[in-house]
Amino acid sequence: MLTTHPFDDDKLREECGIFGVSGSDSAAALAALGLHALQHRGQEAAGITSFDGHLFHTHRAMGHVAGNFDRDEVIRSLPGTVAAGHVRYSTTGETALRNVQPLYADLATGGFAIAHNGNISNAMKLRRELVRRGSIFQSTSDTETIIHLVATSNYRTLLDRFIDALKQIEGAYSLIVMTPEGMIACRDPLGIRPLVMGRLDDAVIFASETVALDVCGATFERAVEPGEMVIVQGSEIRSIKPFAPVSPRPCIFEWVYFSRPDSIAGDHSVYSVRKEIGAQLAIEAPVEADLVIPVPDSGVPAAIGYAQQSGIPFELGIIRSHYVGRTFIQPGDKVRHLGVKLKHNANRALIAGKRVVLIDDSIVRGTTSLKIVQMMRDAGAAEVHMRIASPPTRHSCFYGVDTPERAKLLAAKLDLGGMTDFIHADSLAFVSIDGLYKALGEARRADIRPSYCDACFTGDYPTTLTDQDDTSVVDQFALLAERVN
Ligand code: SF4
């Protein structure tokens, strides 16, 4: 199989999106709509669990939301006024159906279903201890670690068991939990992964991004705060903050690439921030050129910002086909290399003889940038300058984002000159970390704790990385993933 999203393959990938609704007769249908709007956060599997007042019902499957939840009989098989859903992207080898969420557990205190966005950075250490005490794991998902911690907690109520479990966890989690008593939505104390809350008539809705509320016709009420647990029981809504308070550090990459541009994240329009990053880039790294060309689709807002700031005309120099699916069975080895053009093609008449500035959101391995620069040269560009709307990605993410190991990150291997040569550009520049913060309306100061997680650029991780620092644990996890799959 040939992936026909060649420009999307060399990106950091958000691994999950979550959605929950409580108090609607159309709970499962709303969850399907909401997950559809969150599809960009995870494209390999989708699941919805509903609760009808007596029983939980689940439909989970590999593939896109549209393919799995577009039939009436599937939605009808998920009755009840409460539902939670999950879209998942997972790395190769971990795509087993047993890892697809929501996960369900039956305890003596009652059953519950859980949808998780994030990654627990001490999951393996906790898992080892749980296994030693007799827990039997069914999946490689670190979410299952939460389930076992809840199951083995000595507290009486499910809520207290959850608080007890989450206090043992380090890393990133936004969670939606369904119990027979109601729904719990919660965000880790640093607020690394997003979670928002909205209303649709009498229903309360939680989602990874506001765009999922828009699609359901719900109104955005507020973000779930870092370290907050919102508990919905019928028409009653309670908020508690059971964790020790710390200064939040939400993932800055949500504004760079992960969130949809039509979402609002942390009081900022994602689209406006991306445009502002482009403007900063034009101030920091100007170049004499004839055209500003976005790498579609994620480079578009920053390219508009760059063009407006620099006065260089914005043009669509790369045209994207909207009729190509995510994957395509390649017709034969001889035409394999043509696949890249199925999805994106250079607008040759526009580019020939021009000095172009390409704007992209990030460089991960550099393989995509190399292809795009070559595409511009093949179309007759006189000069190709690359401008990147994020600082160099030099470190891996351990908080629920699929990143190649550090050794494969172009910016971890090469300096700016080396990267420019690697992608065959006439020049290359990245927005500075200060410029990125400026686009978010903040002055970054090196002497105080940053207000965002920016670890993939700076290496300044906001939590300890227990599993990562323990190489025996990392090896053990790789072995386990192999066995389970
Ligand atoms: S390391 Fe990067 S991608 Fe991961 S949470 Fe931090 S800023 Fe986001």
Side-chain angles (χ1 to χ4, degrees):
M1 278 224 288
L2 166 70
T3 171
T4 53
H5 274 209
F7 291 2
D8 297 345
D9 281 351
D10 191 25
K11 300 284 184 200
L12 299 192
R13 290 195 212 220
E14 175 62 67
E15 287 186 347
C16 303
I18 57 176
F19 186 92
V21 51
S22 174
S24 169
D25 290 337
S26 309
L30 287 172
L33 270 182
L35 291 185
H36 209 289
L38 299 174
Q39 186 75 83
H40 58 287
R41 298 184 76 88
Q43 296 170 6
E44 299 216 349
I48 295 177
T49 297
S50 70
F51 182 66
D52 66 5
H54 303 284
L55 295 171
F56 288 88
H57 307 266
T58 294
H59 183 78
R60 301 181 302 157
M62 305 305 290
H64 283 191
V65 179
N68 289 318
F69 293 99
D70 58 350
R71 282 165 293 133
D72 278 348
E73 65 263 31
V74 174
I75 299 298
R76 277 200 304 271
S77 73
L78 298 164
T81 58
V82 186
H86 190 271
V87 285
R88 171 183 168 83
Y89 168 78
S90 62
T91 48
T92 313
E94 290 184 296
T95 50
L97 190 56
R98 75 191 89 192
N99 281 336
V100 180
Q101 299 191 21
L103 298 181
Y104 176 77
D106 226 347
L107 308 183
T109 45
F112 68 90
I114 182 168
H116 170 210
N117 175 204
N119 193 63
I120 300 166
S121 49
N122 64 341
M124 214 50 227
K125 180 170 184 275
L126 292 168
R127 184 179 181 125
R128 204 158 48 177
E129 177 56 23
L130 285 159
V131 168
R132 198 186 59 73
R133 283 158 49 196
S135 296
I136 297 169
F137 279 75
Q138 302 289 324
S139 74
T140 53
S141 153
D142 58 355
T143 312
E144 200 185 343
T145 305
I146 303 177
I147 291 176
H148 285 284
L149 289 173
V150 171
T152 53
S153 169
N154 291 323
Y155 284 83
R156 198 176 56 80
T157 68
L158 208 46
L159 179 62
D160 286 338
R161 283 168 174 254
F162 259 98
I163 295 170
D164 182 37
L166 297 178
K167 281 184 176 172
Q168 299 172 59
I169 283 170
E170 74 185 31
Y173 55 85
S174 283
L175 298 175
I176 295 174
V177 181
M178 290 166 60
T179 78
E181 283 77 43
M183 179 168 276
I184 305 168
C186 106
R187 217 169 149 202
D188 71 75
L190 290 158
I192 296 176
R193 301 260 72 87
L195 191 61
V196 296
M197 180 175 166
R199 289 274 193 170
L200 179 62
D201 303 322
D202 293 333
V204 179
I205 297 182
F206 299 99
S208 296
E209 290 181 41
T210 60
V211 66
L213 303 177
D214 296 344
V215 165
C216 295
T219 48
F220 169 51
E221 203 160 276
R222 65 180 179 86
V224 175
E225 289 176 28
E228 181 183 15
M229 274 182 148
V230 181
I231 302 136
V232 184
Q233 288 177 306
S235 58
E236 188 194 333
I237 301 176
R238 282 189 298 138
S239 163
I240 57 172
K241 289 199 168 172
F243 312 112
V246 285
S247 306
R249 288 187 65 186
C251 167
I252 206 164
F253 228 104
E254 290 288 344
W255 288 270
V256 170
Y257 175 67
F258 298 146
S259 289
R260 252 176 61 161
D262 43 345
S263 278
I264 307 286
D267 298 334
H268 301 285
S269 144
V270 173
Y271 179 81
S272 302
V273 171
R274 284 186 194 160
K275 261 181 76 180
E276 193 49 41
I277 299 172
Q280 283 298 323
L281 194 50
I283 293 166
E284 293 180 3
V287 60
E288 280 196 16
D290 304 309
L291 302 173
V292 172
I293 292 175
V295 175
D297 289 326
S298 52
V300 172
I304 293 172
Y306 193 99
Q308 287 178 353
Q309 179 66 39
S310 64
I312 302 170
F314 170 96
E315 293 286 359
L316 296 178
I318 301 168
I319 303 301
R320 175 176 176 171
S321 165
H322 292 273
Y323 301 101
V324 182
R326 185 161 190 273
T327 53
F328 179 74
I329 308 294
Q330 45 190 308
D333 280 354
K334 283 189 181 158
V335 297
R336 183 187 310 233
H337 69 285
L338 298 176
V340 69
K341 290 188 177 169
L342 268 178
K343 189 78 188 176
H344 298 94
N345 193 27
N347 190 349
R348 185 178 291 269
L350 180 78
I351 291 163
K354 300 288 190 334
R355 299 167 300 171
V356 303
V357 193
L358 285 170
I359 310 285
D360 203 354
D361 56 84
S362 56
I363 290 185
V364 180
R365 296 178 189 82
T367 47
T368 294
S369 307
L370 177 62
K371 283 181 206 159
I372 302 168
V373 171
Q374 192 55 48
M375 186 183 273
M376 293 295 103
R377 294 208 189 280
D378 291 348
E383 292 174 19
V384 185
H385 303 275
M386 187 70 132
R387 295 292 178 269
I388 304 297
S390 63
T393 303
R394 293 201 170 97
H395 304 270
S396 302
C397 175
F398 304 105
Y399 303 124
V401 170
D402 181 50
T403 339
E405 62 199 67
R406 205 171 166 223
K408 292 192 175 144
L409 296 171
L410 192 68
K413 293 188 291 192
L414 299 173
D415 62 11
L416 189 64
M419 286 193 274
T420 312
D421 290 347
F422 180 85
I423 66 169
H424 295 169
D426 291 291
S427 76
L428 168 68
F430 296 80
V431 77
S432 68
I433 189 78
D434 291 352
L436 178 57
Y437 273 74
K438 225 175 186 176
L440 280 154
E442 290 210 16
R444 182 177 181 271
R445 281 182 41 196
D447 57 330
I448 57 170
R449 184 182 160 85
S451 41
Y452 293 91
C453 175
D454 53 20
C456 46
F457 309 127
T458 61
D460 173 17
Y461 293 95
T463 70
T464 44
L465 300 172
T466 302
D467 290 347
Q468 206 53 35
D469 293 342
D470 180 347
T471 47
S472 67
V473 165
V474 176
D475 292 348
Q476 205 182 0
F477 188 76
L479 188 67
L480 188 74
E482 241 167 57
R483 275 191 204 141
V484 172
N485 286 296

